[in-house]
Amino acid sequence: MSTDYSRSVRLGGLAAGVEESALRERMEGTLIHLTADGHLPVVAETLEVLVADLRRWPVRLSLDPGRGQGRLDDELIRRLVETAAGIDPDRPLRIGEAQGKAPLHLHVGTAPPPGTAVAGTPDGHGVRLRHTGHPFPRLNAPGTGLGAVLTAAMLASEAFKAVVGLPEGKFQMTPVVDFCPVLPGEQPGTVGAPLPALEQVLLGGGGAIGTGIALVLDLLQVSGELTVVDREVFEKPNVTSYSIGTLADAAAGLPKVRLIDACLRRIEVTPFHGTLQASIEAVDAGTLPWPRIVLGGLDSVEARHDLQRLQVDLTLDGSTGGPVGTTVALHEALPTGPCLRCYFKANHTGKSAEQRLHELTGLPLSRIARGQEPLTERDLECLDNQQRELVGQFLGRPVCGLINSTELTGRTDDRFRPSAAFVAQQAACLVVGAWIARSTGLVSEPPRRIEYDTRFGPRPDQMIDHRLPTPGCVCQKDAALINLIREARRACR
C-alpha cells in the first residue's frame, strides 16, 4: 500500500495558488533537517509529533542526533525511524548530518546550531518560537505534552510556509512567537494546578481534530474516562492528515473510535461506533453515560447541531477551515447560549453531504444512513449500469467514507478544504487548552471564540472575542424544553 499525499499536496496547492503536480515536484525535492537539545523536557514527545507531521508530506527528512551529553538516545531514534516508516516506508527518516543542497533546518530547543532557520521549544503548556537571530528568554516552566504538540505543530507550520512557497501577502513570518492555548493573552509557562482526571467527558468526532485531541490528552498523561463517538473507519487518505494512525491501521480498516482507544493509554475509553444521533438515543435509553463536557472535532454544521442536542454543561468545539483550510478556531458553547447553533447557522439552501452522495451514486438515503456498514454486491442491485460501475470500485468500504472521498468527487469541488495534521493539532490544542482553563478555574469569563490563521500565527490581542446568545436561536426560544431534557438526563446520570 503506497502513501496517499493528495490531501497534504492539495492543501499546499490551495494555499500557494499553484498546480498540485508542480507543488508535489517541489516538495519531493525539498530536504528538511532536524536537530534537538537532547536534555530538553518533553524533547522526545515534541520530536515524535514533528517527525510524523513532516513525514505526512512528500519531502525528504533527516535527523542529526547530536553528540556528547546532548545526544538523542538510541531508543528515541529507533521510535522516530519507526514513526516515519509507519506513515511512508518508502521515504525513511535518514539519521546523520544534513546532506544535499540548502536544507530547511528546524531545531527543537533553545540552543539552535548555526544554519537553523527556526527553533521552537515548549514552555509549560505553551510554545516559544524563534527565527534566526532572535534569542530565547529564560523558560518559565518545564514543557508539557500540550506544549510539545503545539511546538511541533507550529514548527511544521513554519516549514509549510517555506516548503510550499506561499506568495507574499498570503503568510507572515513572525520572528518571535510566544503563545499559550490555556491563557492566550499571557506568556507561556503558567502551568497552574495539576490536571483533573476526565470525568463525564465525551469526544465527538474521531477525524483530524479528534485524533489531535487524543494525541494531546495522551501526551499530557491525562487519566480518567472518555466516551468517543464516530461512525467512520480509518482509511488511506487519513494517514497523511490525522495525528495518529499508520498505513497498517488503514489496511486493517480500523474504526476511528478503536484507533483513539488504542492511543489513550491511561484513559478508560467507551468507544461508540455510530452516529451522534444514535449516541443521543443511547444516552436517553440509559446505555451510554450523559457527559458533562463535550470536546468537539467535527467537520460540518449539521454534525455540530447534533452535538449541541446532547445539551451538556459545556461544549468546546474545535474547527479548521477558512479560505484554504488553514484557519483554526475554538467555540465555547453552553446549553443556555451561546450554543453551537449560535456559532454555526443552518444552511437551508445547500444540500447535505448525504443528499449529494445519493445524487452522485444512486444509493438510497436509507442505505447511506447506515454509513458504517460496508458496501456489498447487494447494494449494486438497485443501481443503473453507470452508477454500478462507479460504486462497484468501493465494495467492502463503509458508505460514510465515500461522502468526502476525493476518488469519488474527483476533487473538483472548491468547497472541499482538506486539513493537515499540523493545522488540526493547533485546533486540538485550543480545545484542550480551554478544557484545562475551564476545569481548573484558570478562566471563568464568558464563553469565548478564539480564531487565527496558521499561515499568520496567533495574535492574542486580535483573536479572542466573547459571544452572547443569538436572539431567536433555539437555545433561547426552547430554553424551558432544554432545561427539562437536562433535568431528565441528570436524573439518569
Side-chain angles (χ1 to χ4, degrees):
M1 178 185 284
S2 60
T3 302
D4 183 350
Y5 288 102
S6 59
R7 292 187 181 182
S8 56
V9 174
R10 178 165 172 75
L11 178 72
L14 287 170
V18 298
E19 291 292 330
E20 293 175 31
S21 58
L23 176 59
R24 174 149 186 159
E25 182 178 352
R26 173 190 175 105
M27 296 177 83
E28 290 177 342
T30 298
L31 170 64
I32 301 179
H33 185 62
L34 304 177
T35 54
D37 297 343
H39 63 276
L40 184 77
V42 299
V43 65
E45 292 86 344
T46 307
L47 276 174
E48 287 189 71
V49 178
L50 180 58
V51 165
D53 284 353
L54 299 176
R55 183 63 290 142
R56 293 181 176 107
W57 310 341
V59 298
R60 293 180 292 133
L61 194 57
S62 65
L63 169 74
D64 187 347
R67 292 154 202 81
Q69 293 183 345
R71 187 182 189 278
L72 303 176
D73 67 70
D74 291 339
E75 174 59 23
L76 172 59
I77 295 171
R78 183 192 64 78
R79 292 202 310 271
L80 295 175
V81 170
E82 287 187 354
T83 295
I87 296 171
D88 189 346
D90 298 326
R91 288 183 170 84
L93 170 66
R94 193 185 64 80
I95 304 301
E97 296 182 357
Q99 295 179 356
K101 183 180 179 181
L104 176 63
H105 185 170
L106 305 178
H107 182 78
V108 177
T110 60
T116 300
V118 190
T121 184
D123 191 353
H125 293 313
V127 58
R128 294 190 186 273
L129 215 66
R130 297 293 185 272
H131 283 246
T132 301
H134 296 270
F136 283 87
R138 183 185 180 93
L139 300 183
N140 291 323
T144 70
L146 174 55
V149 175
L150 184 60
T151 298
M154 295 193 73
L155 280 171
S157 185
E158 294 301 295
F160 173 80
K161 299 172 187 178
V163 169
V164 305
L166 292 181
E168 186 176 353
K170 298 293 186 181
F171 74 103
Q172 180 174 328
M173 287 291 191
T174 307
V176 173
V177 176
D178 297 306
F179 179 63
C180 177
V182 179
L183 299 169
E186 299 185 19
Q187 288 289 305
T190 302
V191 175
L195 298 182
L198 293 174
E199 184 178 1
Q200 296 174 320
V201 180
L202 179 144
L203 173 60
I209 297 174
T211 55
I213 292 172
L215 176 66
V216 176
L217 291 175
D218 181 62
L219 295 184
L220 276 172
Q221 301 184 19
V222 173
S223 61
E225 301 176 355
L226 179 69
T227 300
V228 182
V229 179
D230 194 283
R231 67 180 185 177
E232 298 183 349
V233 299
F234 188 73
E235 298 181 306
K236 188 168 71 169
N238 303 141
V239 174
T240 54
S241 54
Y242 287 16
S243 290
I244 58 177
T246 65
L247 281 176
D249 295 323
L254 281 181
K256 294 177 183 178
V257 293
R258 295 293 180 185
L259 192 70
I260 290 176
D261 186 6
C263 170
L264 295 172
R265 294 167 288 181
R266 302 167 189 85
I267 296 172
E268 184 177 340
V269 173
T270 299
F272 188 91
H273 187 206
T275 64
L276 284 169
Q277 172 60 34
S279 72
I280 293 172
E281 293 171 0
V283 166
D284 288 334
T287 58
L288 197 68
W290 183 46
R292 185 176 57 86
I293 296 175
V294 163
L295 312 178
L298 302 167
D299 59 3
S300 73
V301 171
E302 294 82 3
R304 286 183 169 90
H305 289 183
D306 282 344
L307 196 67
Q308 184 62 51
R309 290 194 296 111
L310 280 165
Q311 305 299 356
V312 302
D313 297 350
L314 174 65
T315 300
L316 302 172
D317 168 77
S319 69
T320 62
V324 297
T326 55
T327 299
V328 297
L330 164 76
H331 310 91
E332 297 182 335
L334 304 174
T336 54
C339 70
L340 289 182
R341 287 180 176 269
C342 295
Y343 287 109
F344 298 95
K345 304 301 181 186
N347 182 0
H348 297 294
T349 58
K351 297 176 181 178
S352 69
E354 289 78 5
Q355 182 66 37
R356 295 196 303 272
L357 184 63
H358 164 67
E359 294 178 0
L360 183 63
T361 65
L363 289 168
L365 287 171
S366 58
R367 176 63 182 89
I368 293 172
R370 305 196 313 276
Q372 65 270 27
E373 297 179 14
L375 285 165
T376 67
E377 292 283 354
R378 186 173 181 179
D379 293 313
L380 304 182
E381 295 175 359
C382 63
L383 308 182
D384 61 33
N385 290 336
Q386 184 176 2
Q387 293 167 339
R388 192 175 295 115
E389 182 178 356
L390 175 64
V391 177
Q393 61 185 310
F394 301 104
L395 288 177
R397 290 174 57 175
V399 176
C400 56
L402 307 187
I403 289 178
N404 289 322
S405 173
T406 55
E407 300 166 77
L408 194 59
T409 63
R411 298 200 302 272
T412 59
D413 186 355
D414 287 338
R415 295 171 295 180
F416 175 62
R417 294 291 180 262
S419 185
F422 75 91
V423 177
Q425 284 162 7
Q426 292 183 57
C429 287
L430 291 178
V431 171
V432 177
W435 170 72
I436 293 173
R438 295 292 182 181
S439 61
T440 61
L442 286 172
V443 170
S444 58
E445 58 195 38
R448 302 167 298 173
R449 179 178 183 270
I450 302 176
E451 179 181 281
Y452 67 91
D453 192 323
T454 58
R455 295 174 299 168
F456 296 87
R459 302 178 182 183
D461 58 332
Q462 302 177 18
M463 56 185 269
I464 305 171
D465 66 90
H466 295 95
R467 294 296 295 262
L468 296 174
T470 300
C473 181
V474 170
C475 65
Q476 304 302 298
K477 293 190 300 181
D478 296 340
L481 176 60
I482 290 170
N483 283 333
L484 288 174
I485 292 171
R486 283 172 51 79
E487 287 298 326
R489 291 174 179 168
R490 186 177 292 112
C492 297
R493 182 181 277 175

